[in-house]
Amino acid sequence: MTYSISEVAKELDLTVYALRYYDKEGLMPFVERTPSGTRLFKDSDIEALKIIQCLKSTGMPIKEIKGFIEWCSEGDSTLQQRYNMFLERKAIVEAQLEELNKTMEIINHKCNYYKTALNAGTEDIHNNKIGNF
Amino acid sequence: MTYSISEVAKELDLTVYALRYYDKEGLMPFVERTPSGTRLFKDSDIEALKIIQCLKSTGMPIKEIKGFIEWCSEGDSTLQQRYNMFLERKAIVEAQLEELNKTMEIINHKCNYYKTALNAGTEDIHNNKIGNF
DNA sequence: GCTTGACCTAGAGTTAACTATAGGGATTAT
DNA sequence: ATAATCCCTATAGTTAACTCTAGGTCAAGC
């Protein structure tokens, strides 16, 4: 079973432009072509793209993802590097989660702040000593 | 107590360039100046910048943050808008947390995948039917 | 056999958020 | 009183990750 670029774009919720851009940047060396040059995506290619999307969502830049893809095609000799990379990513995502939880706390405070102010009809209920908001 | 732009930059872990950029974009209309034009930051200004950083960390673009700052200087008549904005941000951060947790799961899977492969000395231990990685 | 629509490449354009430079003024240390 | 160090504005440059356009190929349907 193979898929066209527009089918893959729809499935992964990104544009055809973006997919071709990823390919140009070396993120998809495994995607095969018809004799006339049209890309043919296999199921395993879509799985690979999901990992790429996962790495992207951790904030990893495309050039670094390319490095990982290269390691993958070099075989078992790069297993250690790849493992280390995922451990690093894990640490980064843990930090992001912590950060996002702090952000959530502040947002929740602000929600309460404005709920109270709205009930009172004025922000003055919070005796902020000439604060900005 | 007032602070110079470089003191604030150090405190908030951003550059002097970035602070001046925020000011130019209308994020800091409340910061006062000396007669000769030098910015003087008050403690309340630093608190405001922390909220701005919080909003930025949720992915809110600077132009939208500017809109919020404008609402703030319009007083109580914009309380409802500001409350709604924080509720929206809360929903967005909740979605981001969910997304990031999914990402973490995938990363954890990959960590285990590579740990096992590394122990076996080869990726072949995972009988991936001609997968990419 | 020709039109339609999906595919292709190369390369230019876009956007956000800085980042840096040039040129100049004010304050502090010696 | 002069050199260093901070501050300022205006404006140009950078970067990543697309996004779009132009010009062309190819397979299917009428």
Side-chain angles (χ1 to χ4, degrees):
Chain A
M1 190 63 192
T2 63
Y3 311 88
S4 73
I5 195 167
S6 60
E7 286 169 332
V8 175
K10 186 180 265 185
E11 168 80 12
L12 298 182
D13 197 33
L14 34 77
T15 67
V16 170
Y17 297 143
L19 277 171
R20 286 204 269 250
Y21 169 70
Y22 293 164
D23 198 4
K24 192 157 53 176
E25 294 299 306
L27 263 47
M28 296 149 50
F30 41 74
V31 174
E32 298 190 16
R33 307 276 191 129
T34 64
S36 66
T38 297
R39 273 168 276 246
L40 289 180
F41 292 79
K42 301 180 292 297
D43 286 296
S44 63
D45 297 342
I46 293 176
E47 290 313 304
L49 279 164
K50 283 182 186 168
I51 298 298
I52 287 169
Q53 280 191 310
C54 168
L55 291 173
K56 270 182 57 56
S57 79
T58 72
M60 192 169 183
I62 279 173
K63 282 186 184 172
E64 274 179 53
I65 298 177
K66 183 191 173 168
F68 165 67
I69 300 290
E70 281 166 2
W71 281 339
C72 290
S73 45
E74 282 168 31
D76 287 340
S77 66
T78 61
L79 281 176
Q80 185 72 56
Q81 282 101 308
R82 289 187 266 161
Y83 179 49
N84 291 345
M85 193 209 76
F86 276 106
L87 288 181
E88 271 174 46
R89 279 298 127 186
K90 185 183 160 86
I92 285 168
V93 174
E94 273 164 359
Q96 286 172 342
L97 276 170
E98 210 174 305
E99 185 67 25
L100 206 49
N101 278 317
K102 274 186 203 159
T103 296
M104 183 58 109
E105 253 188 68
I106 297 172
I107 301 268
N108 276 331
H109 271 125
K110 280 295 176 182
C111 284
N112 291 332
Y113 175 101
Y114 280 113
K115 198 175 189 177
T116 313
L118 214 42
N119 265 340
T122 176
E123 217 174 338
D124 297 347
I125 201 92
H126 303 286
N127 55 342
N128 28 350
K129 35 295 182 208
I130 324 128
N132 296 305
F133 34 88
Chain B
M1 191 63 193
T2 64
Y3 311 88
S4 74
I5 195 167
S6 60
E7 286 170 331
V8 174
K10 185 178 265 184
E11 168 81 12
L12 299 181
D13 196 34
L14 34 76
T15 67
V16 169
Y17 297 142
L19 277 170
R20 286 203 270 250
Y21 170 69
Y22 294 164
D23 197 5
K24 192 158 54 177
E25 293 299 305
L27 262 49
M28 296 148 50
F30 40 74
V31 174
E32 298 191 18
R33 308 275 191 129
T34 64
S36 66
T38 297
R39 274 169 276 248
L40 288 179
F41 293 78
K42 300 181 293 296
D43 287 295
S44 63
D45 297 342
I46 293 176
E47 290 313 304
L49 279 164
K50 283 182 186 166
I51 298 298
I52 286 170
Q53 280 191 308
C54 168
L55 291 173
K56 270 182 59 54
S57 79
T58 72
M60 192 170 184
I62 280 173
K63 281 185 185 174
E64 273 178 54
I65 298 177
K66 182 191 174 170
F68 166 67
I69 300 290
E70 281 166 1
W71 282 339
C72 289
S73 46
E74 281 167 31
D76 288 338
S77 65
T78 61
L79 282 176
Q80 184 72 56
Q81 282 103 309
R82 289 187 265 161
Y83 180 49
N84 292 345
M85 193 209 76
F86 276 106
L87 288 181
E88 271 173 48
R89 280 297 127 187
K90 184 184 161 85
I92 285 168
V93 174
E94 274 164 1
Q96 287 172 342
L97 277 170
E98 210 174 304
E99 186 68 24
L100 206 48
N101 278 317
K102 276 185 202 158
T103 296
M104 183 57 111
E105 254 187 67
I106 297 172
I107 302 267
N108 276 333
H109 272 126
K110 280 296 176 183
C111 284
N112 291 333
Y113 174 101
Y114 281 113
K115 201 175 186 176
T116 313
L118 214 42
N119 265 341
T122 176
E123 217 174 338
D124 298 345
I125 198 91
H126 302 287
N127 56 344
N128 27 349
K129 35 299 181 203
I130 326 130
N132 296 303
F133 34 86

